[in-house]
Structures are given as C-alpha cells and as structure tokens.
Amino acid sequence: LPKVLINNEYYNEVLSTATQKKDKEYLNNKMSSANWLVRSLDQRAQTILKVASEIIEQQDAFFNYGIEFLKPLTLKDIAEEIDMHESTVSRVTNNKYIGTPRGIFELKYFFSTALVSEDGVSHSAESIRVRIQTLIDEEDAKAVLSDDKIVEILKSEGIDIARRTVAKYREGLHIPSSVQRRRQKKN
C-alpha cells in the first residue's frame, strides 16, 4: 500500500511564521490530526494484511490444488486465529480483493459455510457448487443428470447433501433443470 507521510519541513516552516498563539494552536491541532490519520491508515493496512495472510494460510489447499479444496471458513475462525473481533474481520474483508495465481478474488469469497457429511468430513458450500457445475458441464447429452442423480454421485464421493440443496445450488449457478437441459441438448 502507498505510504502516507507528513511533510515536517513544511510544517516547521509554516509554524515558524506563525506569530499569534491561536495560529500556533491551530497548526499543532492540525498536525495532531494528521499524525492520527497516518497512524490509523497504517493500522488499517496492518489489519488487512493480517486478515489476508490468515485467509491464505487457512485456504492453503485451495491455492495449491483448486476450488474443490476450498475449506469451510467463517469470520469467527479468522477472528479467533488473529485475536480480533469478528466485526473487525467483516469490515476488513468488505470490498477488498486479493490477486492470486488462481485469479482475483474478493476476500469474502473465502468464507463458506460447512456441510458436514455422515463420516464427519466438512465440505465448503462453494466447493460443492463447483462440483455440481463440473458434473453438469461433463454430462452426456444422452444422459442428462437429474438432481437426484447428482445427489447419488456426490454421496458416492462422501458428500451427503439433500436434493433440494442441489436444486438450490444449481439454480444459484443459473443452470436449468435436467428437463430443460435435455430439451436444449436435443436442439
């Protein structure tokens, strides 16, 4: 991030020309405000860096292997790790982006709810969405996958998910139903 600095030479030059006490008080007041702003900006930058570093550490598998390895993560998880309040982490991640070898992502992207399978393994909702998208992208035009079939496939992969959740994720991805996809593929 760019550094914000105060020009002390200019301040001293202006201060030396001030003759009245009220002018000197005014200049000192403005210098205090400027110092406060510089410290606040530096603290904010450090907080953003701390939060982003912890997200990267927590989502290491995503960066190394891809979106299917995105782990469930909450604001609270990061807040506890870096010893900050959850609301601070929320504010810091709002409208902030990070450039990675996998692309540019909003910091909020890395927070995903957990879906826990029968064997106790947690999967992030985002990684399941991507898996559903992949299954549909790879489906054969002659064997279009129904939501129930997607549930079966995911179950065989250790992801226990309800059919209505598959439908909700599919709709969220703007993917038509199996009936609509079958019609599209016939044309």
Side-chain angles (χ1 to χ4, degrees), residues 37 55 73 87 89 96 107 123 137 170:
L37 178 63
I55 289 171
L73 187 65
S87 64
V89 174
K96 307 290 183 315
L107 287 177
H123 303 278
D137 288 347
R170 179 182 46 72

Side-chain angles (χ1 to χ4, degrees), residues 8 10 12 19 21 25 28 35 53 61 64 85 100 113 120 122-124 145 170 181:
N8 284 316
Y10 183 70
N12 289 328
T19 54
K21 185 179 178 183
E25 285 175 3
N28 286 330
N35 281 323
S53 296
N64 289 323
H85 196 274
T100 74
T113 55
S122 295
H123 303 278
S124 85
L145 299 172
R170 179 182 46 72
R181 291 195 316 273

